[in-house]
Amino acid sequence: MLLDGASLWFRSFYALPEKMTSPDGRPVNALRGFLDTIAALVTEHRPTRLVVCLDVDWRPAFRTDLIPSYKAHRVADDSAGASDAEDVPDTLTPQVDMITEALRCAGITTSGATGCEADDVIGTLAFDEAVDAVLVVSGDRDLLQVVADDPVQVRVLYVGRGLKNAELMGPAEVAAKYNVPTDRAGTAYAEMSILRGDPSDGLPGVPGIGDKTAAKLITEYGDLDALEAAAYDAGSSLTKRARNSIVESKDYLAAARVVVAVRTDAETTESRDDDRLPTTPDDVDGLRALVAELGVDSSVNRLATALGWDETF
């Protein structure tokens, strides 16, 4: 099981009230929600291995060099000099450190890659030859492109509408929902995303091509390369409007192929040598100290129960 760390703790932060505080008054809503989410996922899906994937660089240069608008609207005010820092609520930032410390003490593996987003870490670890089946958990639709049946069975548990309303997505489900070919559903979804654009990521898309048209064109022509070739073929069945839009967007299309694609070759670094579910905490004393300091005994105990620990906190 691969967890999209930031996606899940952002959702926990907004799902739970900030009145959930530590004994000294600091908000711990994201921390509690994140630990509860892991406990619920482990209880329901019983993975043998678990990795929380992190954004080492949430807006990598290899993407912004090609499309400068990529995630630009999420950049925080640079008055403090951090011109490329993400705009994160003030009360969430310190909770990220709390979460990573809780994971360290619990013995839950985290992974990141220099110059890469969590998506790239997930894409790389998902197709590790040492695994047979992978469940990715995220509220980011971009990761639907990693669904696969071969060489590894990869499914995405999409939690964009909350864990209770999670959708388990594989190639068949992505194909049915987005009207793309089943045999290349993940790749076709990424190509559809390139064509239609994504305002939430600062991707302009091809003018005049929305969801339905993008899916129809990808299905009709087979893939994005064939569609673009058809735009330069006077004998193709493309409408003049679509032809002109695609031709005029050639630079964007070339860049977006790299920007949108989740990497599968990132040089990841894991926090632990063993990503199997921990049978005991790595740092019992540290976890007890964290519980005492932050008052998160109920969430830690739910996690302990899910992991089958004898300890209670």
Side-chain angles (χ1 to χ4, degrees):
M1 179 179 283
L2 301 174
L3 305 186
D4 185 351
S7 172
L8 296 180
W9 64 58
F10 263 95
R11 291 178 186 283
S12 294
F13 176 81
Y14 287 112
L16 298 174
E18 288 187 57
K19 66 182 180 182
M20 290 183 172
T21 58
S22 65
D24 62 5
R26 287 175 290 168
V28 292
N29 54 323
L31 170 62
R32 286 179 57 174
F34 189 77
L35 294 179
D36 288 349
T37 295
I38 295 179
L41 289 167
V42 168
T43 299
E44 180 173 356
H45 298 282
R46 308 313 305 178
T48 54
R49 299 168 62 187
L50 175 68
V51 181
V52 177
C53 301
L54 307 176
D55 287 319
V56 174
D57 189 339
W58 72 284
R59 196 167 175 259
F62 78 88
R63 290 191 167 105
T64 59
D65 286 349
L66 291 169
I67 299 181
S69 63
Y70 180 67
K71 294 187 177 180
H73 64 293
R74 301 188 209 172
V75 176
D77 185 336
D78 66 358
S79 58
S83 60
D84 205 33
E86 186 175 12
D87 188 10
V88 177
D90 291 341
T91 50
L92 172 57
T93 299
Q95 292 190 68
V96 174
D97 290 336
M98 298 175 189
I99 289 169
T100 54
E101 176 63 7
L103 294 175
R104 183 195 69 78
C105 292
I108 293 174
T109 302
T110 61
S111 181
T114 301
C116 291
E117 300 175 60
D119 288 15
D120 304 309
V121 177
I122 289 170
T124 299
L125 297 181
F127 294 101
D128 185 332
E129 294 179 357
V131 298
D132 296 318
V134 174
L135 181 63
V136 174
V137 185
S138 178
D140 184 355
R141 285 192 182 90
D142 292 344
L143 282 164
L144 293 178
Q145 66 182 278
V146 304
V147 298
D149 283 325
D150 185 66
V152 178
Q153 183 189 84
V154 182
R155 299 292 183 264
V156 173
L157 189 66
Y158 176 68
V159 296
R161 297 187 299 119
L163 197 57
K164 291 183 179 179
N165 299 306
E167 300 173 80
L168 184 62
M169 307 291 285
E173 290 77 15
V174 170
K177 185 165 186 173
Y178 295 100
N179 296 311
V180 294
T182 305
D183 62 346
R184 55 186 307 273
T187 302
Y189 178 83
E191 293 173 342
M192 185 184 80
S193 299
I194 290 170
L195 287 171
R196 73 182 180 191
D198 186 348
S200 68
D201 278 342
L203 300 175
V206 175
I209 297 182
D211 280 3
K212 291 182 179 179
T213 302
K216 179 182 177 181
L217 291 173
I218 290 298
T219 300
E220 180 178 350
Y221 288 92
D223 60 31
L224 185 56
D225 288 340
L227 172 61
E228 195 166 5
Y232 292 89
D233 179 2
S236 75
S237 59
L238 272 176
T239 66
K240 182 178 180 181
R241 181 181 178 185
R243 188 191 309 277
N244 289 342
S245 288
I246 292 170
V247 169
E248 291 169 4
S249 301
K250 65 177 183 178
D251 291 341
Y252 161 74
L253 290 170
R257 281 175 166 83
V258 177
V259 173
V260 171
V262 169
R263 288 182 58 176
T264 58
D265 61 349
E267 295 185 9
T268 64
T269 300
E270 283 66 55
S271 62
R272 304 169 71 248
D273 292 334
D274 186 353
D275 62 14
R276 289 175 295 180
L277 291 183
T279 55
T280 59
D282 274 6
D283 184 351
V284 175
D285 292 340
L287 197 54
R288 292 193 187 284
L290 197 71
V291 166
E293 177 187 354
L294 300 176
V296 291
D297 51 301
S298 59
S299 292
V300 171
N301 281 322
R302 275 190 282 273
L303 180 63
T305 298
L307 294 172
W309 295 347
D310 293 331
E311 292 87 356
T312 56
F313 297 85

